[in-house]
Amino acid sequence: MVEDNGSIRTLSVDIGGSGVKAMVLDITGNPLTERTRLDTPQPAKPEVVINAIAVLAAAQGEFHRVSVGFPGVVRQGVTETAVNLHPDWIGFDLETALSKCLNKPVRVINDADMQGFGAIAGKGVELVVTLGTGFGSALFIDGKLVPNMEMGHHQFRKGKTYEEQLGRAELEKIGEKRWNRRLEKAIASLQSLFNYDYLYIGGGEAVRVNMQLPLNVKLIPNITGLLGGIALWRD
Ligand code: BGC
């Protein structure tokens, strides 16, 4: 039992298709440690990914609770999809398994949702997309999350999804110039669908965005994926 709430330390974990990252946050969500990273073990089955988290956790020092961003649909701590990890995640109770492994309370949400919490202002319609192995998305209305919005697997153009057209594999295939042109089309399409006040673009490949962005579109650093972890304990 922690007596002084102000000293509660939250281990924030971001599971990605290519890397697993971790960092400890203070009660207000500010980083207390350096971010550490391990390559996502392949094949990325639950047991080996949990082991990677345990290794990162051991090197992060003291913490009292754990927030996890997971690259798929998550409902009540159970992972329902994991397109870029492994089918063994379907129906896996990550919250319980990780909590047993680390002996700490754990909360799990979708990775883009967690990243969104680290980015939003909390007013109006705010949309977040993440560009990495996959294409993540999160929608917030006055700071309230519409959970598990999976735009990545929704049709974008030419019979292909946003993830098929803009994921890392496609970026490597078509190069930055064409990828940026496609992204510009995606931004226009999302603007006309959501009429958002702000769109935030994050994820590991956001650094490769190279265009004049509309005034209501902002690039966010990848560390935001971890900073959002504090929001999972707000209630
Ligand atoms: C998954 C999303 C995830 C995104 C980014 C997609 O393939 O379906 O849930 O947010 O990748 O990791």
Side-chain angles (χ1 to χ4, degrees), residues 70-73 81 83-84 110-112 130 134-137 150 153 163:
F70 180 83
V73 174
T81 67
V83 177
N84 294 305
N110 172 265
D111 57 352
T130 65
F135 183 104
S137 54
E150 284 283 310
H153 305 294
E163 185 158 310

Side-chain angles (χ1 to χ4, degrees), residues 190-227:
L190 297 177
Q191 166 72 63
S192 66
L193 175 61
F194 291 99
N195 289 294
Y196 47 71
D197 294 291
Y198 278 104
L199 167 65
Y200 304 92
I201 302 179
E205 301 300 354
V207 289
R208 292 162 84 168
V209 175
N210 180 16
M211 71 177 92
Q212 184 75 36
L213 292 169
L215 286 176
N216 61 348
V217 181
K218 290 187 195 311
L219 293 178
I220 52 173
N222 207 19
I223 195 110
T224 322
L226 291 168
L227 296 177

Side-chain angles (χ1 to χ4, degrees), residues 19-210:
V20 183
K21 296 134 248 166
M23 186 170 77
V24 175
L25 307 175
D26 72 10
I27 193 71
T28 59
N30 289 316
L32 288 170
T33 59
E34 288 287 316
R35 184 194 93 140
T36 48
R37 179 190 184 281
L38 282 175
D39 283 348
T40 306
Q42 299 298 334
K45 294 184 180 192
E47 197 187 325
V48 287
V49 172
I50 287 177
N51 284 344
I53 295 173
V55 171
L56 290 169
Q60 282 284 334
E62 200 197 356
F63 58 89
H64 307 99
R65 59 191 188 184
V66 185
S67 300
V68 181
F70 180 83
V73 174
V74 182
R75 212 180 303 269
Q76 274 135 21
V78 176
T79 57
E80 293 189 353
T81 67
V83 177
N84 294 305
L85 293 178
H86 191 278
D88 281 8
W89 287 97
I90 298 169
F92 183 77
D93 188 347
L94 176 57
E95 219 161 75
T96 303
L98 191 60
S99 179
K100 277 194 187 135
C101 170
L102 298 176
N103 206 15
K104 296 279 175 346
V106 174
R107 290 188 182 173
V108 186
I109 57 167
N110 172 265
D111 57 352
D113 290 353
M114 190 155 109
Q115 169 128 192
F117 276 121
I120 56 166
K123 271 184 96 178
V125 177
E126 295 177 279
L127 182 67
V128 181
V129 300
T130 65
L131 304 169
T133 310
F135 183 104
S137 54
L139 179 64
F140 296 84
I141 321 293
D142 290 332
K144 194 155 171 38
L145 171 69
V146 180
N148 287 323
M149 192 187 58
E150 284 283 310
M151 201 167 6
H153 305 294
H154 188 68
Q155 288 268 324
F156 169 37
R157 61 196 275 272
K158 300 194 171 168
K160 299 265 175 74
T161 65
Y162 282 88
E163 185 158 310
E164 285 165 339
Q165 285 262 298
L166 289 162
R168 181 173 296 126
E170 190 69 3
L171 166 60
E172 301 311 343
K173 201 171 109 195
I174 64 171
E176 278 187 20
K177 212 169 158 188
R178 280 181 66 198
W179 182 81
N180 269 278
R181 280 206 299 267
R182 274 189 198 172
L183 182 62
E184 204 167 0
K185 292 192 177 99
I187 293 171
S189 156
L190 297 177
Q191 166 72 63
S192 66
L193 175 61
F194 291 99
N195 289 294
Y196 47 71
D197 294 291
Y198 278 104
L199 167 65
Y200 304 92
I201 302 179
E205 301 300 354
V207 289
R208 292 162 84 168
V209 175
N210 180 16

